[in-house]
Amino acid sequence: MLDTILLAEMTSGYSDEELQAIAKGFCPKCSPYNIRYRILETCYSEKQGMDVHRVKCSNIVQCDWDESIPAARIDNGLEGFFE
């Protein structure tokens, strides 16, 4: 799941429900159908100072949603475990 704080900082104009959908891997504009988005590319953003994913809704016929989201994920509990 995406870090929702980073996501909210990078994107604007989304409701809390839409941000939660993006964080879970779904297109916010296709709600409530839970259509997944696909990652088109991952690149480093000078503006954000981090890697970002450029994503697009998988339903390319009916939805044209396209966004850049942070590539960072929340801690899964294993970071630093082996150090």
Side-chain angles (χ1 to χ4, degrees):
M1 193 156 100
L2 288 174
D3 186 339
T4 53
I5 295 171
L6 280 175
L7 181 62
E9 289 176 4
M10 278 188 67
T11 57
S12 61
Y14 292 108
S15 68
D16 289 338
E17 293 83 21
E18 290 174 328
L19 288 174
Q20 285 298 323
I22 296 170
K24 291 178 181 176
F26 300 115
C27 172
K29 302 302 179 189
C30 290
S31 182
Y33 300 110
N34 292 336
I35 306 293
R36 292 210 167 264
Y37 59 73
R38 55 195 168 111
I39 299 173
L40 300 177
E41 67 178 339
T42 302
C43 58
Y44 183 78
S45 170
E46 295 285 333
K47 179 181 174 185
Q48 302 297 330
M50 64 189 310
D51 286 336
V52 296
H53 294 308
R54 188 169 147 252
V55 296
K56 184 164 181 62
C57 180
S58 293
N59 186 5
I60 59 174
V61 174
Q62 296 177 344
C63 182
D64 63 348
W65 179 74
D66 189 352
E67 186 68 72
S68 291
I69 61 172
R73 304 286 179 183
I74 56 176
D75 183 15
N76 66 7
L78 295 176
E79 276 77 12
F81 180 76
F82 298 105
E83 293 178 2

